[in-house]
Amino acid sequence: ALAVKLAEMELTILAQASHDGQLFGSVTARSISDRLGEHGCKVEARLIRIEEPIRKLGDYTIHARLHGDVIAALTVKVVQA
């Protein structure tokens, strides 16, 4: 049930960025986990896999290992705060 909810969700994260879209810092598994919690989806940061650090504005697909072989894909949209 949680995997389906995550797959259907587009999570928006607000971030400070320069005029060319470069973030001041990066979006981490912890910030994604916290934002998911605000939407009622409890996913521990250690279960979230980010292939490379998110340091630019844009859309990203990340994966969360929910249980054993259950891996959910999630769309994360990083936008200018």
Side-chain angles (χ1 to χ4, degrees), residues 17-67:
S18 64
H19 65 280
D20 64 349
Q22 194 74 22
L23 299 184
F24 300 128
S26 64
V27 175
T28 63
R30 168 65 51 206
S31 57
I32 293 170
S33 174
D34 292 345
R35 191 82 174 107
L36 285 170
E38 294 171 12
H39 288 277
C41 298
K42 303 261 189 230
V43 179
E44 292 180 44
R46 65 183 179 83
L47 301 177
I48 295 173
R49 298 286 174 248
I50 301 174
E51 292 183 21
E52 55 187 61
I54 298 175
R55 294 196 171 118
K56 290 190 141 203
L57 299 176
D59 296 345
Y60 298 88
T61 300
I62 58 123
H63 297 90
R65 182 176 293 280
L66 302 178
H67 175 57

